[in-house]
Amino acid sequence: MELQKVNAESARGLQERQSRREWIAGRILTLLSHYWREDDPSAMDEAIARDWADILEGMPQDAIAKACRRYLTDEPRRKPTPGAILALARSAVPQPPRVVVAYAAPP
């Protein structure tokens, strides 16, 4: 019974990861469609999408979407790279507030 639960959770995690990678691939192919491209074979498109997903997989979707919009606004003439979008996505993620702890001086 416990093994079935673990297997179900593992399968769900893999499905979620695959779904996330597919979303990233679709978003990036949309981004790249704004720039001139050769008519690449579908295998090339799939390889490009995998590269982008490998780089951006850990970022929130909202941050990736904001990074793509910002790139289209700020860099309209140059084709984006995975690293450029990653840097913009990182800057779009809210930073946790800093906590300053003051220690009392010993008596």
Side-chain angles (χ1 to χ4, degrees):
M1 181 73 159
E2 194 63 33
L3 181 57
Q4 288 175 336
K5 183 178 176 182
V6 169
N7 286 340
E9 288 175 6
S10 178
R12 189 172 31 256
L14 289 174
Q15 289 171 339
E16 289 172 4
R17 181 173 185 235
Q18 182 61 32
S19 175
R20 180 163 178 68
R21 290 177 64 85
E22 288 173 5
W23 180 89
I24 291 170
R27 184 63 193 96
I28 295 308
L29 289 175
T30 300
L31 172 67
L32 293 176
S33 73
H34 295 282
Y35 301 88
W36 180 83
R37 294 179 49 196
E38 292 285 334
D39 288 332
D40 294 330
S42 62
M44 178 63 73
D45 284 342
E46 291 169 10
I48 290 169
R50 278 193 308 273
D51 286 347
W52 281 81
D54 288 345
I55 300 299
L56 298 174
E57 187 171 15
M59 299 304 298
Q61 288 182 351
D62 185 53
I64 296 169
K66 285 178 183 177
C68 291
R69 284 190 301 273
R70 184 168 169 199
Y71 195 92
L72 287 170
T73 301
D74 295 348
E75 298 286 345
R77 297 173 195 251
R78 293 185 1 209
K79 195 178 208 181
T81 64
I85 298 301
L86 177 62
L88 292 172
R90 283 180 175 158
S91 70
V93 175
Q95 297 300 312
R98 289 182 56 142
V99 176
V100 178
V101 178
Y103 294 98

XYZ file of all heavy atoms in Angstrom:
846
model
N 0.826 -1.190 0.000
C 0.000 0.000 0.000
C 0.873 1.256 0.000
O 0.649 2.155 -0.785
C -0.924 -0.056 1.235
C -1.845 1.104 1.329
S -3.133 0.949 0.102
C -4.347 1.974 0.780
N 1.852 1.306 0.879
C 2.747 2.465 0.977
C 3.565 2.630 -0.306
O 3.778 3.739 -0.762
C 3.674 2.305 2.188
C 4.402 3.551 2.581
C 3.465 4.672 3.029
O 2.406 4.392 3.612
O 3.808 5.828 2.773
N 4.010 1.530 -0.898
C 4.776 1.589 -2.145
C 3.926 2.164 -3.274
O 4.412 2.947 -4.088
C 5.289 0.196 -2.516
C 6.133 0.101 -3.780
C 7.350 1.025 -3.671
C 6.581 -1.325 -4.012
N 2.633 1.805 -3.321
C 1.745 2.346 -4.346
C 1.613 3.861 -4.200
O 1.591 4.588 -5.189
C 0.373 1.689 -4.261
C 0.360 0.249 -4.726
C -0.991 -0.392 -4.519
O -1.777 0.038 -3.678
N -1.259 -1.446 -5.288
N 1.545 4.333 -2.966
C 1.431 5.773 -2.714
C 2.685 6.492 -3.190
O 2.616 7.527 -3.838
C 1.203 6.019 -1.224
C 0.996 7.456 -0.872
C 0.725 7.620 0.609
C 0.604 9.093 0.966
N 0.397 9.282 2.400
N 3.862 5.928 -2.883
C 5.132 6.514 -3.309
C 5.211 6.527 -4.827
O 5.615 7.525 -5.434
C 6.328 5.746 -2.686
C 7.635 6.172 -3.322
C 6.358 5.955 -1.186
N 4.822 5.438 -5.467
C 4.851 5.368 -6.932
C 3.905 6.390 -7.559
O 4.233 7.019 -8.560
C 4.502 3.960 -7.414
C 5.629 2.973 -7.187
O 6.781 3.366 -7.014
N 5.304 1.696 -7.164
N 2.718 6.558 -6.972
C 1.759 7.531 -7.496
C 2.305 8.954 -7.363
O 2.186 9.763 -8.283
C 0.425 7.402 -6.767
N 2.909 9.262 -6.215
C 3.491 10.593 -6.014
C 4.649 10.831 -6.974
O 4.800 11.924 -7.520
C 3.953 10.760 -4.571
C 2.810 10.888 -3.586
C 3.268 10.932 -2.142
O 4.494 10.979 -1.884
O 2.395 10.911 -1.256
N 5.456 9.818 -7.199
C 6.581 9.930 -8.127
C 6.082 10.171 -9.554
O 6.604 11.021 -10.272
C 7.431 8.668 -8.062
O 8.489 8.736 -8.977
N 5.062 9.437 -9.948
C 4.499 9.606 -11.297
C 3.901 11.002 -11.448
O 4.066 11.645 -12.483
C 3.439 8.536 -11.564
N 3.223 11.486 -10.414
C 2.633 12.823 -10.465
C 3.731 13.877 -10.584
O 3.617 14.824 -11.341
C 1.765 13.067 -9.234
C 0.955 14.324 -9.300
C -0.070 14.502 -8.168
N 0.266 13.922 -6.892
C -0.246 12.795 -6.390
N -1.105 12.086 -7.099
N 0.095 12.350 -5.206
N 4.821 13.692 -9.845
C 5.944 14.625 -9.928
C 6.565 14.647 -11.316
O 6.898 15.712 -11.832
N 6.700 13.486 -11.936
C 7.240 13.416 -13.293
C 6.300 14.082 -14.297
O 6.751 14.778 -15.210
C 7.496 11.961 -13.691
C 8.672 11.279 -12.994
C 8.719 9.798 -13.366
C 9.977 11.952 -13.349
N 4.999 13.884 -14.119
C 4.022 14.520 -15.012
C 4.067 16.033 -14.865
O 4.007 16.762 -15.861
C 2.619 14.006 -14.721
C 2.392 12.569 -15.152
C 1.060 12.014 -14.654
O 0.480 12.515 -13.706
N 0.605 10.960 -15.298
N 4.178 16.513 -13.630
C 4.258 17.954 -13.402
C 5.524 18.534 -14.024
O 5.491 19.608 -14.627
C 4.209 18.267 -11.911
C 2.847 18.039 -11.292
C 2.854 18.165 -9.774
O 3.900 18.514 -9.191
O 1.797 17.903 -9.181
N 6.639 17.821 -13.881
C 7.899 18.286 -14.473
C 7.788 18.342 -15.990
O 8.198 19.316 -16.621
C 9.051 17.374 -14.067
C 10.369 17.839 -14.637
C 11.540 17.034 -14.090
N 12.766 17.613 -14.601
C 13.694 16.932 -15.257
N 13.548 15.640 -15.460
N 14.776 17.528 -15.704
N 7.209 17.304 -16.588
C 7.052 17.267 -18.043
C 6.141 18.400 -18.504
O 6.431 19.077 -19.488
C 6.495 15.916 -18.499
C 6.363 15.786 -19.996
C 7.692 15.925 -20.732
O 8.739 15.550 -20.227
N 7.643 16.489 -21.915
N 5.058 18.626 -17.782
C 4.141 19.703 -18.137
C 4.837 21.056 -18.048
O 4.657 21.912 -18.919
C 2.932 19.664 -17.200
O 2.081 20.748 -17.440
N 5.642 21.260 -17.026
C 6.378 22.514 -16.854
C 7.367 22.726 -17.997
O 7.476 23.806 -18.548
C 7.092 22.490 -15.511
C 7.881 23.717 -15.240
C 8.212 23.837 -13.757
N 9.006 24.981 -13.489
C 8.585 26.232 -13.591
N 7.361 26.480 -13.962
N 9.393 27.240 -13.328
N 8.093 21.668 -18.366
C 9.068 21.769 -19.451
C 8.354 22.069 -20.781
O 8.854 22.834 -21.590
C 9.914 20.506 -19.534
C 10.879 20.370 -18.347
C 11.664 19.069 -18.403
N 12.534 19.008 -19.555
C 13.770 19.510 -19.615
N 14.288 20.115 -18.570
N 14.496 19.392 -20.706
N 7.177 21.487 -20.989
C 6.419 21.762 -22.209
C 5.966 23.216 -22.234
O 5.986 23.853 -23.287
C 5.224 20.809 -22.318
C 5.635 19.393 -22.658
C 4.484 18.405 -22.598
O 3.313 18.818 -22.385
O 4.753 17.203 -22.744
N 5.551 23.749 -21.070
C 5.157 25.162 -21.016
C 6.346 26.049 -21.372
O 6.210 26.986 -22.149
C 4.612 25.524 -19.628
C 4.195 26.956 -19.546
C 2.970 27.460 -19.848
C 5.019 28.078 -19.202
N 2.974 28.831 -19.699
C 4.221 29.235 -19.302
C 6.343 28.220 -18.813
C 4.690 30.515 -19.028
C 6.827 29.498 -18.541
C 6.013 30.625 -18.647
N 7.506 25.764 -20.793
C 8.714 26.552 -21.083
C 9.018 26.489 -22.580
O 9.281 27.511 -23.215
C 9.913 26.063 -20.258
C 9.709 26.384 -18.769
C 11.217 26.698 -20.761
C 10.725 25.717 -17.850
N 8.975 25.301 -23.146
C 9.277 25.147 -24.577
C 8.320 25.973 -25.430
O 8.750 26.677 -26.354
C 9.196 23.672 -24.971
N 7.047 25.936 -25.112
C 6.076 26.717 -25.878
C 6.315 28.210 -25.739
O 6.234 28.959 -26.721
N 6.622 28.644 -24.520
C 6.854 30.079 -24.299
C 8.086 30.545 -25.059
O 8.097 31.615 -25.666
C 7.009 30.357 -22.789
C 7.162 31.820 -22.457
C 5.896 32.592 -22.875
N 6.089 34.013 -22.858
C 6.407 34.760 -23.932
N 6.573 34.202 -25.108
N 6.546 36.060 -23.839
N 9.136 29.746 -25.039
C 10.379 30.135 -25.707
C 10.226 30.083 -27.223
O 10.718 30.966 -27.931
C 11.553 29.256 -25.225
C 11.807 29.508 -23.730
C 12.798 29.483 -26.047
C 11.976 30.971 -23.335
N 9.542 29.085 -27.750
C 9.329 29.048 -29.203
C 8.513 30.255 -29.646
O 8.745 30.810 -30.725
C 8.680 27.734 -29.621
C 9.602 26.515 -29.524
C 8.842 25.234 -29.850
C 10.817 26.669 -30.420
N 7.577 30.688 -28.796
C 6.829 31.914 -29.104
C 7.766 33.115 -29.098
O 7.722 33.963 -29.992
C 5.691 32.113 -28.085
O 4.822 30.985 -28.150
C 4.906 33.379 -28.376
N 8.609 33.199 -28.094
C 9.581 34.297 -28.015
C 10.475 34.317 -29.249
O 10.665 35.360 -29.881
C 10.434 34.158 -26.752
C 11.613 35.122 -26.614
C 11.118 36.558 -26.446
C 12.481 34.719 -25.435
N 11.002 33.167 -29.617
C 11.921 33.107 -30.753
C 11.218 33.379 -32.083
O 11.866 33.786 -33.054
C 12.621 31.752 -30.790
C 13.577 31.475 -29.628
C 14.134 30.060 -29.732
C 14.702 32.495 -29.579
N 9.911 33.183 -32.129
C 9.195 33.413 -33.379
C 9.198 34.889 -33.784
O 8.935 35.216 -34.926
C 7.760 32.888 -33.280
O 6.986 33.735 -32.447
N 9.517 35.776 -32.851
C 9.600 37.198 -33.163
C 10.887 37.550 -33.914
O 11.041 38.679 -34.365
C 9.523 38.033 -31.878
C 8.208 37.913 -31.190
N 7.083 38.581 -31.612
C 7.830 37.178 -30.119
C 6.069 38.274 -30.814
N 6.495 37.428 -29.908
N 11.792 36.629 -34.014
C 13.090 36.846 -34.654
C 13.193 35.940 -35.870
O 12.712 34.810 -35.855
C 14.227 36.561 -33.664
C 14.142 37.448 -32.447
C 13.387 37.067 -31.352
C 14.760 38.687 -32.425
C 13.272 37.896 -30.238
C 14.660 39.516 -31.323
C 13.909 39.118 -30.236
O 13.790 39.938 -29.148
N 13.859 36.418 -36.894
C 14.008 35.628 -38.111
C 14.732 34.331 -37.793
O 15.700 34.296 -37.045
C 14.802 36.416 -39.145
C 14.974 35.652 -40.407
C 14.089 35.549 -41.422
C 16.103 34.873 -40.770
N 14.580 34.754 -42.411
C 15.833 34.312 -42.033
C 17.313 34.566 -40.159
C 16.718 33.487 -42.693
C 18.199 33.736 -40.818
C 17.890 33.215 -42.068
N 14.213 33.248 -38.365
C 14.822 31.927 -38.192
C 14.718 31.170 -39.503
O 13.771 31.347 -40.258
C 14.080 31.112 -37.130
C 14.181 31.660 -35.755
C 13.400 30.829 -34.768
N 13.709 29.419 -34.896
C 12.975 28.456 -34.395
N 11.891 28.720 -33.752
N 13.320 27.192 -34.551
N 15.685 30.326 -39.709
C 15.584 29.381 -40.820
C 14.421 28.445 -40.520
O 13.987 28.337 -39.378
C 16.875 28.547 -40.931
C 18.088 29.327 -41.353
C 18.068 29.669 -42.832
O 17.437 28.937 -43.615
O 18.679 30.683 -43.193
N 13.938 27.779 -41.525
C 12.931 26.750 -41.276
C 13.650 25.512 -40.759
O 14.075 24.651 -41.525
C 12.158 26.434 -42.556
C 11.215 27.547 -42.943
O 10.763 28.258 -42.024
O 10.935 27.711 -44.138
N 13.824 25.486 -39.453
C 14.536 24.376 -38.819
C 13.674 23.120 -38.837
O 12.448 23.197 -38.710
C 14.867 24.714 -37.358
C 15.849 25.862 -37.238
O 16.685 26.028 -38.137
O 15.779 26.590 -36.226
N 14.309 21.972 -38.947
C 13.542 20.732 -38.816
C 12.968 20.641 -37.396
O 13.502 21.224 -36.458
C 14.562 19.626 -39.070
C 15.880 20.281 -39.245
C 15.709 21.758 -39.200
N 11.885 19.908 -37.235
C 11.240 19.820 -35.921
C 12.184 19.239 -34.872
O 12.111 19.607 -33.706
C 9.956 19.003 -35.997
O 10.234 17.680 -36.401
N 13.100 18.365 -35.281
C 14.068 17.807 -34.327
C 14.952 18.915 -33.760
O 15.310 18.894 -32.578
C 14.918 16.729 -34.985
N 15.293 19.903 -34.586
C 16.104 21.030 -34.116
C 15.300 21.877 -33.135
O 15.808 22.294 -32.097
C 16.574 21.876 -35.286
C 17.389 23.093 -34.864
S 18.932 22.676 -34.018
C 19.893 22.089 -35.383
N 14.031 22.143 -33.463
C 13.168 22.895 -32.550
C 13.066 22.189 -31.196
O 13.113 22.826 -30.145
C 11.756 23.070 -33.131
C 11.700 24.116 -34.224
O 12.627 24.951 -34.318
O 10.716 24.099 -34.987
N 12.923 20.871 -31.228
C 12.822 20.103 -29.989
C 14.118 20.185 -29.186
O 14.086 20.323 -27.961
C 12.468 18.650 -30.291
C 11.057 18.482 -30.816
C 10.781 17.103 -31.369
O 11.608 16.187 -31.185
O 9.723 16.933 -32.001
N 15.266 20.127 -29.852
C 16.561 20.219 -29.162
C 16.743 21.610 -28.549
O 17.217 21.744 -27.411
C 17.700 19.901 -30.126
N 16.349 22.638 -29.288
C 16.435 24.007 -28.772
C 15.537 24.141 -27.548
O 15.945 24.704 -26.519
C 16.054 25.019 -29.871
C 17.139 25.061 -30.949
C 15.817 26.414 -29.280
C 16.730 25.821 -32.205
N 14.326 23.635 -27.633
C 13.385 23.721 -26.515
C 13.928 22.990 -25.286
O 13.783 23.480 -24.159
C 12.031 23.153 -26.923
N 14.557 21.840 -25.479
C 15.156 21.107 -24.345
C 16.258 21.923 -23.691
O 16.353 21.983 -22.461
C 15.699 19.753 -24.803
C 14.659 18.666 -24.893
C 15.283 17.278 -25.046
N 16.239 17.201 -26.141
C 15.914 16.926 -27.408
N 14.659 16.699 -27.740
N 16.836 16.866 -28.342
N 17.112 22.565 -24.493
C 18.178 23.406 -23.934
C 17.600 24.515 -23.069
O 18.061 24.762 -21.951
C 19.033 24.024 -25.043
C 19.965 23.038 -25.706
O 20.156 21.924 -25.171
O 20.508 23.389 -26.770
N 16.593 25.199 -23.591
C 15.966 26.290 -22.837
C 15.313 25.757 -21.565
O 15.435 26.365 -20.502
C 14.940 27.005 -23.705
C 15.546 27.969 -24.678
C 16.098 27.666 -25.889
C 15.682 29.381 -24.523
N 16.547 28.815 -26.501
C 16.299 29.884 -25.682
C 15.309 30.270 -23.521
C 16.566 31.230 -25.866
C 15.566 31.619 -23.707
C 16.197 32.095 -24.865
N 14.621 24.639 -21.662
C 13.966 24.062 -20.484
C 14.992 23.656 -19.436
O 14.766 23.839 -18.234
C 13.099 22.870 -20.885
N 16.132 23.126 -19.866
C 17.190 22.759 -18.919
C 17.667 23.977 -18.122
O 17.918 23.889 -16.925
C 18.393 22.144 -19.643
C 18.127 20.746 -20.177
O 17.127 20.116 -19.768
O 18.923 20.295 -21.025
N 17.771 25.122 -18.789
C 18.268 26.333 -18.142
C 17.200 26.987 -17.270
O 17.481 27.455 -16.172
C 18.765 27.353 -19.205
C 19.906 26.770 -20.040
C 19.167 28.678 -18.562
C 21.139 26.392 -19.274
N 15.954 27.017 -17.746
C 14.905 27.784 -17.065
C 14.004 26.960 -16.151
O 13.142 27.517 -15.473
C 14.030 28.486 -18.115
C 14.753 29.498 -18.996
C 13.820 30.013 -20.080
C 15.299 30.642 -18.161
N 14.205 25.665 -16.097
C 13.290 24.767 -15.394
C 13.024 25.155 -13.935
O 11.914 25.016 -13.448
C 13.837 23.341 -15.456
C 12.913 22.304 -14.919
C 13.410 20.901 -15.193
O 14.590 20.716 -15.545
O 12.606 19.985 -15.056
N 13.998 25.695 -13.238
C 13.808 26.018 -11.827
C 13.160 27.357 -11.554
O 12.892 27.696 -10.410
N 12.871 28.116 -12.595
C 12.312 29.457 -12.413
C 10.778 29.414 -12.433
O 10.193 28.612 -13.156
C 12.798 30.399 -13.523
C 14.290 30.606 -13.576
S 15.022 31.209 -12.037
C 14.196 32.773 -11.846
N 10.128 30.297 -11.674
C 8.659 30.354 -11.724
C 8.171 30.792 -13.109
O 8.821 31.602 -13.771
C 8.303 31.417 -10.679
C 9.521 31.599 -9.834
C 10.691 31.213 -10.690
N 7.033 30.263 -13.537
C 6.495 30.608 -14.855
C 6.280 32.103 -14.990
O 6.561 32.681 -16.046
C 5.184 29.864 -15.104
C 5.373 28.394 -15.360
C 4.069 27.677 -15.655
O 2.986 28.239 -15.515
N 4.168 26.432 -16.058
N 5.787 32.744 -13.952
C 5.535 34.179 -14.008
C 6.832 34.947 -14.273
O 6.852 35.892 -15.053
C 4.894 34.652 -12.698
C 4.501 36.110 -12.749
O 3.780 36.496 -13.689
O 4.938 36.866 -11.864
N 7.914 34.516 -13.641
C 9.207 35.188 -13.843
C 9.708 34.992 -15.270
O 10.258 35.916 -15.876
C 10.234 34.675 -12.829
N 9.503 33.798 -15.817
C 9.915 33.536 -17.206
C 9.100 34.401 -18.163
O 9.653 35.019 -19.077
C 9.772 32.043 -17.563
C 10.727 31.193 -16.713
C 10.019 31.811 -19.053
C 10.465 29.700 -16.805
N 7.791 34.460 -17.944
C 6.929 35.271 -18.816
C 7.320 36.747 -18.744
O 7.408 37.422 -19.779
C 5.466 35.080 -18.426
N 7.573 37.253 -17.542
C 7.999 38.651 -17.393
C 9.335 38.888 -18.094
O 9.539 39.914 -18.736
C 8.117 39.017 -15.917
C 6.794 39.208 -15.235
C 6.981 39.525 -13.756
C 5.642 39.649 -13.060
N 5.797 39.883 -11.615
N 10.250 37.937 -17.965
C 11.564 38.070 -18.602
C 11.428 38.120 -20.119
O 12.091 38.919 -20.780
C 12.471 36.912 -18.179
N 10.555 37.290 -20.672
C 10.345 37.296 -22.127
C 9.764 38.624 -22.582
O 10.220 39.192 -23.584
C 9.433 36.140 -22.533
S 10.190 34.508 -22.332
N 8.767 39.136 -21.854
C 8.186 40.430 -22.222
C 9.219 41.544 -22.116
O 9.304 42.414 -22.989
C 6.983 40.741 -21.328
C 5.737 39.961 -21.686
C 4.510 40.456 -20.965
N 4.616 40.406 -19.521
C 4.306 39.349 -18.771
N 3.871 38.244 -19.359
N 4.410 39.388 -17.468
N 10.006 41.510 -21.057
C 11.028 42.550 -20.879
C 12.064 42.486 -21.992
O 12.489 43.509 -22.523
C 11.695 42.397 -19.511
C 12.677 43.495 -19.227
C 13.102 43.500 -17.793
N 14.231 44.387 -17.626
C 15.047 44.353 -16.601
N 14.833 43.512 -15.614
N 16.062 45.176 -16.533
N 12.458 41.275 -22.374
C 13.445 41.136 -23.445
C 12.893 41.699 -24.759
O 13.594 42.413 -25.475
C 13.874 39.680 -23.629
C 15.126 39.578 -24.456
C 16.362 39.566 -23.845
C 15.078 39.562 -25.842
C 17.530 39.519 -24.596
C 16.232 39.526 -26.601
C 17.450 39.496 -25.977
O 18.595 39.462 -26.731
N 11.648 41.377 -25.067
C 11.045 41.884 -26.300
C 10.978 43.402 -26.308
O 11.109 44.027 -27.361
C 9.640 41.302 -26.482
C 9.598 39.828 -26.891
C 8.167 39.310 -26.801
C 10.164 39.629 -28.280
N 10.816 44.002 -25.142
C 10.756 45.452 -25.035
C 12.141 46.084 -25.090
O 12.364 47.064 -25.796
C 10.081 45.858 -23.708
O 8.774 45.293 -23.683
C 9.984 47.360 -23.565
N 13.087 45.510 -24.346
C 14.413 46.123 -24.177
C 15.424 45.736 -25.252
O 16.362 46.483 -25.512
C 14.997 45.766 -22.809
C 14.179 46.351 -21.666
O 13.300 47.204 -21.929
O 14.411 45.953 -20.509
N 15.279 44.569 -25.850
C 16.262 44.061 -26.822
C 15.554 43.614 -28.103
O 15.699 42.469 -28.516
C 17.018 42.874 -26.222
C 17.819 43.181 -24.983
C 19.090 43.955 -25.278
O 19.508 44.012 -26.454
O 19.649 44.498 -24.332
N 14.818 44.485 -28.768
C 13.995 44.030 -29.891
C 14.783 43.582 -31.120
O 14.221 42.934 -31.994
C 13.138 45.256 -30.206
C 13.951 46.411 -29.731
C 14.704 45.914 -28.531
N 16.046 43.892 -31.206
C 16.798 43.575 -32.433
C 17.695 42.342 -32.316
O 18.207 41.873 -33.316
C 17.654 44.766 -32.837
C 16.819 45.969 -33.174
C 17.693 47.171 -33.410
N 16.883 48.357 -33.383
C 16.607 49.084 -34.446
N 17.085 48.759 -35.607
N 15.856 50.135 -34.337
N 17.915 41.877 -31.107
C 18.822 40.737 -30.925
C 18.054 39.526 -30.422
O 17.215 39.634 -29.542
C 19.912 41.103 -29.921
C 20.825 42.166 -30.461
C 22.001 42.518 -29.589
N 22.114 41.780 -28.364
C 22.670 42.258 -27.275
N 23.154 43.477 -27.246
N 22.773 41.525 -26.192
N 18.380 38.388 -30.984
C 17.757 37.137 -30.581
C 18.202 36.784 -29.154
O 19.377 36.897 -28.837
C 18.201 36.048 -31.559
C 17.407 34.790 -31.521
C 17.975 33.856 -32.583
C 16.961 32.919 -33.112
N 17.545 32.028 -34.111
N 17.292 36.356 -28.292
C 17.660 36.057 -26.913
C 18.426 34.745 -26.776
O 18.338 33.867 -27.627
C 16.310 35.967 -26.202
C 15.368 35.541 -27.277
C 15.878 36.185 -28.541
N 19.147 34.643 -25.697
C 19.826 33.408 -25.328
C 19.207 32.899 -24.028
O 18.600 33.684 -23.285
C 21.330 33.634 -25.102
O 21.492 34.519 -23.981
C 21.997 34.222 -26.339
N 19.359 31.614 -23.739
C 18.828 31.107 -22.476
C 19.387 31.866 -21.266
O 18.649 32.179 -20.333
C 19.259 29.642 -22.462
C 19.426 29.280 -23.903
C 19.923 30.531 -24.574
N 20.660 32.191 -21.295
C 21.271 32.900 -20.174
C 20.714 34.299 -19.988
O 20.543 34.770 -18.854
N 20.413 34.993 -21.081
C 19.844 36.342 -20.983
C 18.457 36.294 -20.349
O 18.133 37.106 -19.476
C 19.772 36.986 -22.367
N 17.645 35.333 -20.751
C 16.301 35.210 -20.179
C 16.387 34.753 -18.725
O 15.633 35.220 -17.870
C 15.425 34.267 -21.027
C 15.257 34.821 -22.445
C 14.069 34.031 -20.367
C 14.630 36.208 -22.525
N 17.337 33.873 -18.414
C 17.520 33.438 -17.022
C 17.876 34.623 -16.132
O 17.316 34.775 -15.042
C 18.604 32.359 -16.928
C 18.936 31.863 -15.518
C 17.719 31.218 -14.869
C 20.100 30.892 -15.574
N 18.771 35.474 -16.588
C 19.165 36.643 -15.789
C 17.963 37.561 -15.554
O 17.753 38.039 -14.425
C 20.290 37.403 -16.484
N 17.164 37.787 -16.594
C 15.976 38.627 -16.435
C 14.939 37.961 -15.535
O 14.277 38.624 -14.728
C 15.366 38.956 -17.797
C 16.196 39.877 -18.692
C 15.569 39.968 -20.075
C 16.341 41.257 -18.065
N 14.790 36.653 -15.663
C 13.825 35.928 -14.820
C 14.247 35.994 -13.351
O 13.411 36.181 -12.465
C 13.702 34.477 -15.276
N 15.542 35.852 -13.104
C 16.024 35.948 -11.715
C 15.701 37.318 -11.131
O 15.333 37.428 -9.968
C 17.526 35.696 -11.655
C 17.893 34.244 -11.776
C 19.388 34.054 -11.713
N 19.736 32.648 -11.717
C 20.911 32.172 -12.078
N 21.873 32.999 -12.481
N 21.146 30.885 -12.052
N 15.858 38.364 -11.937
C 15.575 39.711 -11.432
C 14.076 39.933 -11.231
O 13.686 40.844 -10.506
C 16.162 40.775 -12.357
O 15.459 40.833 -13.571
N 13.226 39.113 -11.846
C 11.779 39.247 -11.706
C 11.235 38.507 -10.486
O 10.084 38.702 -10.111
C 11.080 38.738 -12.969
N 12.059 37.667 -9.877
C 11.621 36.919 -8.695
C 11.769 37.812 -7.470
O 12.851 38.338 -7.214
C 12.454 35.627 -8.512
C 12.083 34.918 -7.220
C 12.270 34.703 -9.707
N 10.677 38.017 -6.735
C 10.779 38.863 -5.543
C 11.783 38.292 -4.543
O 11.831 37.086 -4.322
C 9.372 38.841 -4.951
C 8.489 38.252 -5.990
C 9.349 37.471 -6.924
N 12.570 39.171 -3.996
C 13.559 38.755 -3.007
C 12.902 38.709 -1.628
O 12.095 39.582 -1.302
C 14.740 39.728 -2.989
C 15.497 39.764 -4.299
C 16.079 38.415 -4.659
O 16.711 37.756 -3.849
N 15.832 37.982 -5.886
N 13.247 37.723 -0.831
C 12.674 37.672 0.514
C 13.194 38.857 1.330
O 14.306 39.342 1.081
C 13.187 36.345 1.077
C 14.359 35.986 0.249
C 14.162 36.629 -1.091
N 12.384 39.337 2.260
C 12.844 40.473 3.058
C 14.057 40.083 3.899
O 14.167 38.951 4.348
C 11.643 40.803 3.948
C 10.787 39.587 3.928
C 11.083 38.861 2.659
N 14.942 41.036 4.056
C 16.118 40.791 4.886
C 15.716 40.897 6.342
O 14.949 41.764 6.728
C 17.202 41.816 4.594
C 17.835 41.618 3.243
C 18.910 42.616 3.018
N 19.892 42.533 4.085
C 21.186 42.662 3.915
N 21.664 42.909 2.739
N 22.028 42.590 4.925
N 16.247 40.006 7.135
C 15.981 40.019 8.567
C 17.279 40.371 9.266
O 18.301 39.728 9.069
C 15.473 38.632 9.051
C 15.281 38.624 10.552
C 14.188 38.270 8.320
N 17.210 41.425 10.054
C 18.381 41.854 10.811
C 18.134 41.506 12.265
O 17.112 41.891 12.847
C 18.633 43.373 10.656
C 19.817 43.804 11.490
C 18.820 43.705 9.192
N 19.047 40.761 12.825
C 18.917 40.353 14.218
C 19.920 41.153 15.037
O 21.124 41.139 14.743
C 19.174 38.834 14.386
C 19.089 38.426 15.832
C 18.212 38.045 13.519
N 19.422 41.853 16.010
C 20.301 42.625 16.902
C 20.467 41.832 18.193
O 19.486 41.410 18.805
C 19.697 43.989 17.180
N 21.672 41.610 18.555
C 21.968 40.898 19.782
C 22.232 41.904 20.901
O 22.923 42.904 20.682
C 23.182 39.993 19.620
C 22.942 38.862 18.651
C 23.374 38.936 17.323
C 22.265 37.724 19.047
C 23.139 37.893 16.435
C 22.020 36.681 18.169
C 22.472 36.767 16.872
O 22.243 35.754 16.003
N 21.673 41.624 22.042
C 21.937 42.493 23.189
C 23.334 42.229 23.702
O 23.819 41.094 23.712
C 20.893 42.229 24.281
N 23.988 43.279 24.129
C 25.326 43.131 24.701
C 25.209 42.399 26.029
O 24.271 42.626 26.805
C 25.943 44.510 24.907
N 26.149 41.513 26.296
C 26.071 40.784 27.571
C 26.280 41.763 28.744
O 27.005 42.745 28.608
C 27.231 39.784 27.486
C 28.040 40.166 26.315
C 27.252 41.122 25.493
N 25.603 41.514 29.889
C 25.708 42.428 31.031
C 27.087 42.444 31.657
O 27.915 41.658 31.557
C 24.667 41.927 32.009
C 24.246 40.582 31.550
C 24.733 40.415 30.131
